[in-house]
Structures are given as structure tokens and as C-alpha cells.
Amino acid sequence: MTTTLNHEFHRVPMAGMGVRPNAKSKVAGGLLLLVALAAIYWVMLETGALTTVTNKAALSEWIDQLGYWRPAH
């Protein structure tokens, strides 16, 4: 009963071990993140939410208008 290298290749991988991303998938993930952030920025700019978030007085007024759903401050 000897163990050969062929047996090692047919092992089931451990559950905690994931697939390591290669360079192309890292670049694609980074580009996807940048596109998502640009889309969020554009939507906030078009809806006026960006000016509300960057203006402290307007943000405070908007939070006060939330009524029961506002966070405690």
C-alpha cells in the first residue's frame, strides 16, 4: 500500500480554501467597482442628493424630516 502522487491530485479541496483570483479578475473587479462608484455619484448628482449630503444644514433638515425613522442625534 503505497501512496502515489496521482492520489494527491484527486483530493477534494477543503471548504475554507477558495479559488485565488488571477490578475485579470482583479483588474475586472477594480474596474467594476470604479464604474459602480461613478454611477452612484452620477445618480446622486442628478437627483440633488449630493448637494444635500455635502451641505450640513440641508442634511440636518432632511434628517429632521424623517420623523420616527430618523437616527437619534
Side-chain angles (χ1 to χ4, degrees), residues 46-68:
E46 290 295 316
T47 61
L50 189 62
T51 57
T52 302
V53 171
T54 56
N55 184 349
K56 187 176 181 178
L59 181 61
S60 180
E61 181 180 326
W62 178 72
I63 290 172
D64 288 339
Q65 290 176 358
L66 292 176
Y68 179 75

Side-chain angles (χ1 to χ4, degrees), residues 5-68:
L5 290 177
N6 291 335
H7 289 103
E8 293 295 319
F9 291 119
H10 298 291
R11 283 190 308 182
V12 176
M14 294 173 36
M17 298 187 64
V19 177
R20 293 182 58 176
N22 59 15
K24 287 182 182 179
S25 64
K26 286 181 183 179
V27 170
L31 288 175
L32 183 62
L33 178 63
L34 286 175
V35 168
L37 289 174
I40 290 169
Y41 176 79
W42 180 78
V43 167
M44 289 181 72
L45 188 62
E46 290 295 316
T47 61
L50 189 62
T51 57
T52 302
V53 171
T54 56
N55 184 349
K56 187 176 181 178
L59 181 61
S60 180
E61 181 180 326
W62 178 72
I63 290 172
D64 288 339
Q65 290 176 358
L66 292 176
Y68 179 75

